Every structure is written in structure tokens, then in C-alpha cells.
């Protein structure tokens, strides 16, 4: 139904009937006065019988043609129950009707815009049957069986197309005495979209017991001329003598009615309320034969898709318009209505994660699906607007598009709410995102059987747009499958339209140029009151982040892993680690544009992972606005090299969740558990390095400079003790060395020990040395083991312990290697051996890792594998060597090293010798 169209004046036709119409009008008014008096005299008794059911019954619906999409004359009729009261009252309706509601079959539609309208002022001024309305505004006739001045008969009344005003799609009207009766039209937007008619204002005293309403499919057809208002005999059974009516010559316009385009049985329902019971409705319904010939109904849809983004990899608006070519020829068939529309966007157009910040969802209950009232949705759920242009409406229906909840992974609800001219349509749809590619398919199913010329969806652009343009440029195809209500006789139509991808200037391939930024919160050397942060980021229109495959920390940047309970592998993989294992936080940004989505998570220290002694479980709840996309768990393996440097290998980063490509912009890790991280004690230039991979497989190495201060101010006071064991029966000696150092000092870098004179290397032991290859394979022969060592560090909750091996040193003397193990770590400490010109043995450990060591013990026992020998001149009760300590901060400390000796056996021998001499 449409807004008013101007009605062209037809002066010739009007002048021919003016005299006749005025004469008939005067007669009607006179008869009406008598009729009204007669009706008033008997109005009382019928109202007293409220205990009997009035009806309706004998509801019938007939159509002049059953061809789907044709323009039929449609007649509905019904009767009310009556009762013979006897006497002067006689037969009367059980109760006089007040309101009639008629629900027309879904798909039976009217186009009141094709018929000129009678202005409300002219319709209201006409006495009996709207005598002020021109014949060209007539759309049918109403036949009422009523008490006509004491005798029942048919009253034939013209039905006019009356200006409905702004809040109704159409209004028809006729007059039964006073006041005039209006037939209001509304759409059943809460159910099937069919039309309801409501007849209000029926005169209480008319005592109508039957009604027949005929609406003309083509009101301008000359076949209706004999039933036009100027020719009808109000109190007769039909038109007057045709010779008394001049030819009307109503100009041809377009059809008023159109049959459904679905070949399914048509159901018409009626409900009647009476004056005694205005709020109680008696009902009836009838099923008419299904329309036929659906295969003959024309159906020519079209589709257009136009993005708004001017560049690739950016938030974008999008306009999608589905059109249907309409046929408004009264002699032809109307176009089939659209039942189902499925539109698939080109690959690359996806949901944008950037839309999620601040986004809300509106569910079906708040939209009011199944109800007529307005939607009660938050503004933050609005993502665009929709427009429906219909040939049967004078102005478009417009309104918002609301985003709804996710019905299942990868499926997102969308609601279109449009209104105008008293009609409010609510169309639920589904957006399906391909779980592997994110390609979008939108479906609107079971749309109302109402014709439209265009159905347009406009999705808003801007940084918070719900859609993102492809990361590449070119042209792709949008496809659509449109199903008519005339199916299965009618056929689905498949459509394809080209769509620009990306827009603007695009490179042949996306570059991969991520940035690495890393550092500590406290630059004081040796501090354990610090946090370590690392972030990898990229710009728009570059390859997304695929993996942070290897991060290597600077020497000496370590963690007190022994102070944190480690999460077990099962919970680490499930993302359910406890708070006791928390060591930091994770922050992720995803999506294109200036305002990507921000996600936050937690980092947990875990048991070993992928062969490494320790691991991280990075747990990020993927809460994208109103959508819970699940919990993302990224595992990392923490390895510790022979030099105690830490490297972290992270599993590939997720690229798509629930059909939404993440387009990762940055990943940031912050290890900020109190006392967990420990700074190096060296201020030498260093760096954090990482190997980064893009989603396309390209790799690059990234470097972030790392520096500290305050190294020279660190105290450095390590202490060493040494003791020897000398045999009194055979040559050789054992040696035990211990180093201690207080907390908060510069860590050791080198230790050079010179043994006292008289201690020499046992040449026989050199033949049992382990090769470097055997050492690397941790397969040194037992004969090469010459002692043991242990180290205590505050980083671990267990000491490091291991064997000391004599290892081949090429052309030089063998090396002394302490292979320390504990806490999943293996740290070799290598000492090179030399002999000075004075014959004194020196051992230097040149590559001690920059880690805090509170105690270190080296034991070379006096046994059959001893490597030290003694000269005959070696003092019996002690000697002294020297030690030079060098700190990681450059400090140097030289100390004399007293070597205490167990002399008990030597003193006994001396006393025996003295006794003999005496």
C-alpha cells in the first residue's frame, strides 16, 4: 500500500453525472432518515442477548482467477447468527457487530498506489456511501444484509480508496448510515507478512447479519462501470438502469490486487467483536485452493555489491542491493516474491576484529522478533542501515541493522528492522564465516511474501566497521542465490557480480617488516626488582604475524624459575593453570585500521615442553565485544644453552577464530612477577634477538638493543678456599676448591687459579682424557672422570651437580670440564690448563655464565684416578697458590690462595724417623 497519489480531475465525466448524483443523494438522505428512525426503534432487544454466540460462520473466499501472480477480483463473505424475537422485533442478529478483522492469505497483496485516493474530507462529507468521493477512487463494493426499515435486504455500498494518512499503508472506506466505515490495512509483520484488514465503526443499530466484500483486482477495468458509486441503487440489489449512467472512462492505472506467488493453500481468517462484547472475538477460517501456474510467474532478480574502503587491509563499509524487476501491468503477472536470499562476498572480505571494542549484540527478544512493537536494542549493536523500496508503498521502509549473538561457532545473527507508513518489518538473518578462510555468506530466509523493487543493506564504514577489506587487490566475484516463493515450479536464480578487492594502490605482494621492541623496567645491573617486556608489531598492509619462532635473551638476563610452582602439561595445554604459576601477562592487538581489537591474557610458567626444561602457557580469552570466541592457548618452550642464555621457541600464532581472521597486529609479553626476573651484571652492549615468521611463510630476524647501567657500582668480593690431600705412601694428591659469594654482587666472569709449587699433572692420566665429541654427546668414558663439582644458585630450587672430566685440548694440555646438571639444565664449566715457567700449574675458567652463584665446590679426589702428582720437595704441611677473580662488570680481584694440607700421616712418619736416629 502506498502514500497518496494525486487524482486527476475528469471534468467531462463528472459533469455528465453531477445532476443525477445530486438527485440520488437527496433521495438517499431522505430514506436514511426514515431508516435510522426505524432502526433506532428496535435497537434495544438485540443487545440483551449476550449469552448466545453471534458467529461468524459460512466464511467463504472466492477469486476470479487462481493463477499465481494474477490480479483477481477477491470476494469474502460471512454471516452472523440470528434469532427470531417475535412480535415487532422479529429476526435480529444475536448481537450487533462492531469490529471485523479479516486476515488475508500471505502473499495476497494490494497496491493502493495504483488507484487515485479520495481525500478524507470528501469521504467524510458524503452522506451514505461516501458520496463525495470520485468514481475513480472506488476499489470495490460491500454488500450488507441488514434490516432496512423493518425488512431485511441487501445494501450495496461502494468501497473507496481513502487517503490513509502517514501511519497506514492504505485505508478503504464505505458508509453504513453514520459514521462512515473505514477499512484499515496493516501487515502481519510478527508472523508471515500477510495483510490484515480491520473494519471499525459499524453502526450499532444497523443490525447487519451478513457481509460480502469484493475488491477489484483492476479497479479501472470498464467491466466495473455498472457498479460504480454513481450508478448503484443503495437500497436495491444491484446497479440502476445503465442507461441512466454515463460511461465513466476511468483512466487505466495499474492493478490493485495480486494473487500470492506461492502455490500453497491460502488460509483466510476472520474475527468479529460485537457491541456488547467489544473485546471478545469470535473466529472462523477457511482454506482456499492453492494458486496454480507458479512456473509462469516471472522472476528476474539482480545484485550489486559496492565496498567503501579506498585501500586494502582496512575497515570498510559495504553496500549490498538485491533487486527484483516488477511488472505493474494489470494484464500481466506480478513478479514472484523473494523467499530466500544467500549472498557470498568475494574471498578476502571478512569480519573485522577491530569492530569488537565497544560492540554489543541485540538478541531476538530485544529486537522483538514475533512481535509488532519497536526494537529495544542498544546503539552499540547498530552496524548499518537498510532500505526496502516496494512498488506497493509510496515511500521506502528504512531502519537500522543490528548485530545479534553468535548462534554457533562461525555464525553471527543480524537483524534488519525497517519501518514506514505504519509498517514495521523485522528480518532475521545469518552471517556465516568460513572457519578456514573467513569468507562471508549472508542468508535471509522466509522473508515475507511482499514485493520489493530493491532491498539494500548498508554496513557502516570507519575504524569500527564490522567488515575488513582484503589484504590484496584486484577483482573478485560476489555471488548470490535468490529463491522465489514460486519455487519449486519457479527456479532459484544464481547471480554473480564483480567486486573490487582492496582498492587504491597495492603491491604485488605484501611485505613482511615486523618490529621488535624489548627491554626491562629497571635498568640497574643485577637487579631482581625488574620486569622483562617484549613486543612484536607490524603495520597495516603488511603480512600478518605467523610465529615468533625463536627469542634469545641477552647473556645474564635470567629468571628465578625455582621460586615458581610449575604448571603441569595437561593444565598448561588446556589453559587452566593456577594463579601460583603466573609469571606475567600477554597483550594482543588484532584487526586493521587505527583502532584494532585489544585482548589481554596471562603467562604461566610450566613444566618442560618439547624437550626444553621449562615452558610458558600463554592464555588469552578471545572476548571480541559480545562474542566469546573461546580461549587461545599458545605454548612456548624455554631452553637454556650451555652458556646459560635463555631462548624461547613459541608455537605458531592462531590466524583465525570462529571464522574471523585475526589479522594480528602485535603480540606483547610482560614477565612481571615480583622477584622473578634477574638482570645481568654486565653492562656490555647486548641485544634481544628473535626470528619472526609471517602468515605467508616469510621469515626475518629482528633485533632490539639491550643495555643496563650501574655495573661498576656493584660490589665484588668472592672468596676461595683450597685444601689438599697428600699420600704418605705414594705420590700424588687430591684437591678441593670452594668459592662463595654474597648476594647482590657482580657475577663471576673468569676465575684463574695458580696452584702451589710442587703440584704437577700426573702424566699417566693424560691418556684417559675424553674427546670433545664424547663430551658433547655426554658419553665420556669412566676413566676420564677425575672428580666432581656442585654449584648453588638462587635461580633454581636444586643445586647443580655433576662430574669433572679430563677433556682433550688439542695441542695444548687437557681441559678440566665440570658438567653441572640440575633443574633440567646442563651447564659445562671449562677450565684451560697451563704450566708456568716455574713449573706451577694454572687453571683458568674463562667463560662463566653471568648468573648468580652463591657457592661452588670442585673436588679432585686422591684416588686411582687422581690427576695431580707431587714433587718430593712439596711441603709436608701446606703451601700457597694464588687466584684472580674477574667480575662480569669488569672488576678484578687478586688473592693469595692458602692451600691447607692434611699432614697427619707425615708427622707420624717424622716422629718415627727421629726415634730411630736416637
Amino acid at each position: 500500500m502506498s502514500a497518496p497519489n494525486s487524482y486527476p480531475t475528469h471534468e467531462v465525466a463528472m459533469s455528465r453525472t453531477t445532476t443525477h448524483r445530486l438527485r440520488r443523494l437527496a433521495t438517499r438522505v431522505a430514506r436514511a432518515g426514515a431508516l435510522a428512525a426505524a432502526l433506532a426503534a428496535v435497537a434495544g432487544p438485540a443487545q440483551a442477548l449476550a449469552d448466545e454466540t453471534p458467529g461468524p460462520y459460512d466464511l467463504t473466499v472466492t477469486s476470479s482467477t487462481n493463477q499465481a501472480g494474477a490480479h483477481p477480483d477477491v470476494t469474502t463473505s460471512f454471516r452472523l447468527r440470528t434469532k427470531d424475537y417475535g412480535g415487532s422485533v422479529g429476526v435480529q442478529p444475536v448481537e450487533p457487530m462492531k469490529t471485523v478483522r479479516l486476515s488475508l492469505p500471505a502473499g495476497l497483496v494490494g497496491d493502493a498506489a495504483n488507484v487515485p485516493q479520495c481525500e478524507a474530507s470528501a469521504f467524510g462529507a458524503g452522506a451514505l456511501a461516501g458520496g463525495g468521493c470520485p468514481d475513480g477512487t472506488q476499489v470495490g463494493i460491500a454488500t450488507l444484509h441488514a434490516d432496512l426499515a423493518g425488512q431485511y435486504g441487501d445494501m450495496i455500498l461502494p468501497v473507496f480508496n481513502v487517503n490513509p494518512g502517514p501511519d497506514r499503508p492504505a485505508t478503504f472506506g464505505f458508509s453504513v448510515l453514520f459514521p462512515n466505515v473505514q477499512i484499515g490495512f496493516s501487515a502481519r509483520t510478527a508472523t508471515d507478512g500477510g495483510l490484515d484488514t480491520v473494519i471499525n465503526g459499524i453502526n450499532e443499530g444497523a443490525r447487519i447479519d451478513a457481509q460480502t466484500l469484493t475488491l477489484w483486482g483492476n479497479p479501472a477495468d470498464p467491466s466495473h462501470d455498472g457498479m460504480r458509486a454513481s450508478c448503484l441503487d443503495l437500497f436495491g440489489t444491484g446497479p440502476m438502469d445503465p442507461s441512466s449512467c454515463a460511461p465513466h472512462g476511468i483512466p487505466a492505472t495499474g492493478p490493485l490486487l495480486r494473487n500470492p506467488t506461492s502455490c500453497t493453500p491460502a488460509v483466510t481468517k476472520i474475527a468479529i467483536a460485537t457491541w456488547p462484547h467489544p473485546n471478545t472475538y469470535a473466529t472462523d477460517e477457511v482454506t482456499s485452493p492453492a494458486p496454480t501456474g507458479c512456473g509462469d510467474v516471472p522472476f528476474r532478480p539482480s545484485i550489486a555489491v559496492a565496498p567503501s574502503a579506498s585501500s586494502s587491509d582496512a575497515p570498510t563499509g559495504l553496500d549490498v542491493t538485491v533487486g527484483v524487476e516488477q511488472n505493474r501491468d494489470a494484464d500481466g503477472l506480478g513478479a514472484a516474491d523473494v523467499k530466500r536470499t544467500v549472498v557470498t562476498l568475494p574471498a578476502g572480505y571478512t569480519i573485522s576484529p577491530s569492530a569488537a571494542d565497544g560492540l554489543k549484540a541485540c538478541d531476538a527478544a530485544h529486537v522483538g522478533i514475533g512481535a509488532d512493537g519497536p526494537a529495544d536494542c542498544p546503539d552499540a549493536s547498530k552496524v548499518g542501515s537498510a532500505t526496502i523500496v516496494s512498488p506497493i508503498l509510496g515511500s521506502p521502509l528504512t531502519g537500522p541493522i543490528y548485530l545479534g549473538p553468535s548462534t554457533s561457532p562461525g555464525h553471527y545473527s543480524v537483524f534488519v528492522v525497517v519501518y514506514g507508513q505504519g509498517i514495521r518489518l523485522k528480518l532475521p538473518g545469518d552471517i556465516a564465516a568460513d572457519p578456514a578462510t573467513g569468507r562471508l555468506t549472508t542468508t535471509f530466509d522466509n522473508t515475507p511474501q511482499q514485493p520489493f523493487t530493491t532491498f539494500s543493506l548498508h554496513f557502516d564504514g570507519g575504524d569500527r566497521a564490522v567488515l575488513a577489506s582484503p589484504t590484496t587487490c584486484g577483482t573478485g566475484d560476489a555471488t548470490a542465490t535468490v529463491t522465489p516463493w514460486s519455487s519449486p515450479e519457479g527456479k532459484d536464480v544464481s547471480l554473480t557480480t564483480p567486486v573490487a578487492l582492496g582498492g587504491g594502490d597495492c603491491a604485488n605482494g605484501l611485505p613482511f617488516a615486523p618490529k621488535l621492541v624489548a627491554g626491562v623496567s629497571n635498568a640497574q645491573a643485577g637487579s631482581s626488582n625488574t620486569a622483562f617486556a617484549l613486543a612484536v608489531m607490524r603495520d597495516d598492509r603488511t603480512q600478518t604475524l605467523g610465529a615468533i619462532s625463536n627469542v634469545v635473551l641477552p647473556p645474564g638476563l635470567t629468571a628465578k624459575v625455582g621460586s615458581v610452582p610449575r604448571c603441569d602439561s595437561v593444565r598448561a595445554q588446556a589453559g587452566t593453570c593456577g594463579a601460583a604459576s603466573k609469571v606475567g601477562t600477554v597483550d594482543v592487538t588484532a584487526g586493521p585500521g587505527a583502532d584494532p581489537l585489544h585482548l589481554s591474557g596471562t603467562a604461566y610458567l610450566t613444566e618442560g615442553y618439547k624437550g626444553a626444561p621449562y615452558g610458558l602457557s600463554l592464555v588469552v580469552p578471545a572476548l571480541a565485544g559480545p562474542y566469546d570466541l573461546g580461549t587461545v592457548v599458545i605454548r612456548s618452550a624455554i631452553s637454556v644453552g650451555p652458556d646459560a642464555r635463555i631462548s624461547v621457541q613459541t608455537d605458531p600464532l592462531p590466524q583465525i577464530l570462529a571464522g574471523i581472521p585475526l589479522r594480528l597486529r602485535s603480540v606483547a609479553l610482560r614477565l612481571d612477577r615480583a622477584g622473578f626476573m634477574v638482570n645481568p651484571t654486565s653492562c656490555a652492549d647486548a641485544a634481544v634477538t628473535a626470528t619472526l615468521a609471517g602468515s605467508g611463510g616469510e621469515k626475518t630476524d629482528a633485533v632490539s638493543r639491550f643495555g643496563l647501567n650501574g655495573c661498576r657500582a656493584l660490589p665484588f668480593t668472592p672468596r676461595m678456599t683450597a685444601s689438599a690431600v697428600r699420600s704418605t705412601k705414594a705420590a700424588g694428591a687430591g684437591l678441593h676448591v670452594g668459592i662463595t659469594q654474597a648476594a647482590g654482587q657482580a657475577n663471576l666472569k673468569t676465575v684463574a687459579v695458580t696452584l702451589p709449587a710442587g703440584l704437577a699433572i700426573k702424566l699417566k692420566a693424560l691418556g684417559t682424557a675424553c674427546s670433545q665429541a664424547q663430551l658433547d654427546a655426554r658419553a665420556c668414558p669412566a676413566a676420564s672422570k677425575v672428580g666432581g663439582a656442585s654449584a648453588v644458585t638462587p635461580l633454581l630450587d636444586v643445586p647443580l651437580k655433576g662430574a669433572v672430566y679430563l677433556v682433550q685440548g688439542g695441542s695444548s694440555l687437557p681441559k678440566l670440564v665440570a658438567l653441572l646438571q640440575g633443574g633440567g639444565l646442563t651447564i659445562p664449566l671449562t677450565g684451560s690448563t697451563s704450566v708456568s715457567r716455574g713449573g706451577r700449574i694454572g687453571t683458568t675458567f674463562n667463560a662463566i655464565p653471568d648468573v648468580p652463584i652463591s657457592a661452588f665446590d670442585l673436588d679432585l679426589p686422591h684416588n686411582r684416578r687422581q690427576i695431580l702428582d707431587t714433587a718430593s720437595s712439596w711441603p709436608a704441611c701446606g703451601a700457597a697458590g694464588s687466584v684472580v677473580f674477574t667480575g662480569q662488570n669488569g672488576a678484578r680481584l687478586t688473592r693469595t690462595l692458602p692451600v691447607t694440607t692434611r699432614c697427619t700421616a707425615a708427622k707420624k712418619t717424622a716422629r718415627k724417623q727421629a726415634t730411630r736416629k736416637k
Side-chain angles (χ1 to χ4, degrees):
M1 302 300 173
S2 72
N5 282 355
S6 61
Y7 174 62
T9 59
H10 309 292
E11 297 180 359
V12 175
M14 292 298 294
S15 62
R16 291 176 180 175
T17 60
T18 299
T19 302
H20 173 66
R21 178 171 288 181
L22 290 175
R23 182 170 60 251
R24 285 176 49 77
L25 185 59
T27 302
R28 290 180 180 182
V29 172
R31 291 182 179 180
L35 178 61
L39 295 178
V42 294
Q47 299 182 34
L49 300 174
D51 58 333
E52 298 189 37
T53 302
Y57 69 103
D58 284 351
L59 173 66
T60 62
V61 180
T62 59
S63 178
S64 61
T65 176
N66 208 33
Q67 168 63 51
H71 309 292
D73 298 340
V74 177
T75 299
T76 60
S77 65
F78 65 90
R79 292 192 291 165
L80 296 180
R81 286 177 171 78
T82 59
K83 184 173 182 178
D84 189 351
Y85 293 96
S88 61
V89 176
V91 177
Q92 300 289 334
V94 172
E95 292 183 358
M97 65 178 171
K98 180 178 187 294
T99 303
V100 178
R101 292 181 176 175
L102 193 65
S103 297
L104 300 176
L108 177 63
V109 298
D111 187 356
N114 281 337
V115 181
Q117 293 178 338
C118 177
E119 292 301 322
S121 57
F123 175 71
L128 292 174
C133 292
D135 281 353
T137 64
Q138 187 177 348
V139 293
I141 58 173
T143 301
L144 307 178
H145 191 259
D147 185 355
L148 306 178
Q151 182 177 0
Y152 268 87
D154 287 332
M155 182 185 300
I156 302 177
L157 306 171
V159 179
F160 297 99
N161 182 25
V162 181
N163 189 332
D167 296 329
R168 281 190 178 275
T171 297
F172 295 165
F174 62 90
S175 175
V176 184
L177 299 178
F178 301 99
N180 288 344
V181 176
Q182 291 193 350
I183 306 174
F185 286 82
S186 61
R188 294 191 296 273
T189 56
T191 53
D192 59 7
L195 295 177
D196 285 343
T197 67
V198 179
I199 305 175
N200 283 315
I202 301 174
N203 192 300
E204 182 177 5
R207 296 191 299 280
I208 300 168
D209 64 17
Q211 174 185 300
T212 299
L213 177 65
T214 298
L215 296 178
W216 296 329
N218 180 16
D221 194 305
S223 64
H224 303 309
D225 284 354
M227 302 297 288
R228 302 200 186 277
S230 58
C231 293
L232 287 176
D233 181 356
L234 176 63
F235 296 104
T237 58
M240 296 192 332
D241 183 357
S243 64
S244 65
C245 297
H248 288 79
I250 302 299
T253 52
L256 172 68
L257 298 180
R258 190 214 64 189
N259 265 342
T261 60
S262 170
C263 290
T264 55
V267 178
T268 303
K269 298 180 180 181
I270 191 171
I272 293 179
T274 61
W275 281 96
H277 298 89
N279 298 318
T280 302
Y281 286 84
T283 62
D284 194 10
E285 66 177 62
V286 63
T287 300
S288 303
T292 59
C294 276
D296 299 327
V297 178
F299 186 58
R300 289 180 288 273
S302 62
I303 184 175
V305 178
S308 64
S310 59
S311 68
S312 61
D313 196 19
T316 182
L318 193 72
D319 291 294
V320 180
T321 299
V322 176
V324 177
E325 183 179 326
Q326 298 293 331
N327 179 19
R328 304 189 73 179
D329 183 357
D331 295 328
L333 299 180
D337 296 330
V338 174
K339 181 179 182 180
R340 175 183 171 90
T341 304
V342 180
V343 178
T344 300
L345 296 182
Y349 282 98
T350 64
I351 294 175
S352 172
S354 302
D357 278 346
L359 184 68
K360 294 185 178 179
C362 188
D363 58 22
H366 286 85
V367 172
I369 298 297
D372 293 322
D376 182 22
C377 293
D379 287 342
S381 65
K382 180 181 176 183
V383 295
S385 59
T387 301
I388 295 178
V389 177
S390 172
I392 64 174
L393 296 174
S395 58
L397 302 177
T398 59
I401 301 173
Y402 295 111
L403 200 60
S406 175
T407 56
S408 62
H411 287 265
Y412 305 90
S413 299
V414 65
F415 300 99
V416 171
V417 181
V418 291
Y419 41 85
Q421 291 191 237
I423 294 177
R424 181 179 284 107
L425 288 178
K426 301 171 182 177
L427 307 177
D430 173 76
I431 298 177
D434 186 279
T437 66
R439 191 174 187 183
L440 300 176
T441 298
T442 301
T443 301
F444 285 92
D445 204 359
N446 287 315
T447 48
Q449 297 184 58
Q450 293 284 345
F452 65 79
T453 304
T454 57
F455 176 22
S456 301
L457 301 178
H458 168 76
F459 291 95
D460 293 336
D463 288 332
R464 294 298 184 201
V466 294
L467 299 175
S469 63
T471 57
T472 58
C473 291
T475 302
D477 287 335
T479 63
T481 301
V482 188
T483 303
W485 276 99
S486 57
S487 179
E489 289 184 50
K491 296 181 179 179
D492 294 355
V493 176
S494 297
L495 304 169
T496 300
T497 183
V499 180
L501 303 181
D505 295 330
C506 285
N508 292 331
L510 290 178
F512 183 56
K515 302 173 186 176
L516 172 67
V517 178
V520 290
S521 61
N522 183 352
Q524 171 61 51
S527 174
S528 59
N529 182 25
T530 189
F532 172 71
L534 176 144
V536 179
M537 60 203 74
R538 69 170 184 93
D539 294 330
D540 271 334
R541 289 174 288 284
T542 61
Q543 263 187 62
T544 60
L545 301 174
I548 305 173
S549 57
N550 189 35
V551 175
V552 180
L553 301 188
L557 182 59
T558 55
K560 294 182 179 179
V561 293
S563 65
V564 179
R566 293 184 285 281
C567 180
D568 64 70
S569 297
V570 174
R571 299 181 67 187
Q573 194 65 40
T576 57
C577 295
S581 300
K582 178 182 176 182
V583 292
T585 58
V586 184
D587 289 288
V588 176
T589 61
D595 292 303
L597 169 68
H598 291 260
L599 298 174
S600 297
T602 306
Y604 300 95
L605 185 67
T606 73
E607 293 178 341
Y609 180 61
K610 289 188 173 180
Y614 304 99
L616 289 175
S617 177
L618 310 180
V619 182
V620 182
L623 300 176
Y627 303 121
D628 185 350
L629 306 181
T631 299
V632 177
V633 179
I634 304 171
R635 298 295 306 276
S636 297
I638 301 177
S639 301
V640 181
D643 58 355
R645 291 188 69 175
I646 293 176
S647 60
V648 182
Q649 293 78 36
T650 301
D651 287 350
L653 303 174
Q655 298 299 305
I656 188 168
L657 289 177
I660 302 178
L662 298 179
R663 305 192 189 205
L664 291 172
R665 294 285 296 280
S666 69
V667 177
L669 171 66
R670 182 177 176 84
L671 301 178
D672 57 1
R673 181 181 178 121
F676 181 64
M677 296 300 297
V678 180
N679 279 346
T681 59
S682 170
C683 292
D685 288 342
V688 177
T689 63
T691 300
L692 309 175
S695 57
E698 185 175 345
K699 291 186 177 182
T700 186
D701 292 326
V703 177
S704 178
R705 183 182 176 277
F706 182 87
L708 299 174
N709 54 52
C711 288
R712 291 188 177 277
L714 291 174
F716 185 63
T717 59
R719 299 184 64 183
M720 176 180 283
T721 61
S723 62
V725 177
R726 182 189 177 201
S727 172
T728 59
K729 296 181 179 180
L735 184 67
H736 178 86
V737 177
I739 299 175
T740 58
Q741 189 174 16
Q745 297 191 15
N747 297 325
L748 289 168
K749 182 177 183 181
T750 68
V751 177
V753 179
T754 301
L755 297 180
L759 279 176
I761 296 177
K762 189 176 182 180
L763 296 178
K764 184 178 179 180
L766 299 182
T768 62
C770 174
S771 69
Q772 186 64 47
Q774 289 173 321
L775 177 69
D776 294 339
R778 306 295 185 258
C780 287
S784 65
K785 179 180 177 182
V786 295
S790 67
V792 176
T793 172
L795 304 180
L796 301 175
D797 55 353
V798 294
L800 294 169
K801 295 182 179 181
V804 178
Y805 295 98
L806 197 63
V807 179
Q808 293 174 0
S811 59
S812 61
L813 291 174
K815 297 177 289 187
L816 207 61
V817 179
L819 202 59
L820 300 177
Q821 295 178 312
L825 308 182
T826 298
I827 306 294
L829 293 179
T830 301
S832 58
T833 304
S834 63
V835 178
S836 68
R837 290 183 179 180
R840 302 182 72 173
I841 299 173
T843 300
T844 301
F845 291 88
N846 274 319
I848 302 174
D850 189 2
V851 295
I853 300 292
S854 57
F856 174 78
D857 288 281
L858 175 69
D859 188 42
L860 303 177
H862 181 219
N863 56 27
R864 61 187 178 86
R865 293 179 184 171
Q866 65 193 30
I867 63 168
L868 293 178
D869 209 345
T870 57
S872 58
S873 59
W874 199 60
C877 296
S882 64
V883 60
V884 178
F885 299 105
T886 303
Q888 296 284 348
N889 64 345
R892 182 181 175 88
L893 185 65
T894 301
R895 290 288 186 266
T896 299
L897 178 62
V899 180
T900 61
T901 307
R902 293 169 56 186
C903 301
T904 305
K907 289 181 179 179
K908 288 182 178 179
T909 301
R911 284 198 297 270
K912 288 181 179 179
Q913 291 176 349
T915 302
R916 289 193 191 101
K917 289 179 179 180
K918 290 181 180 180

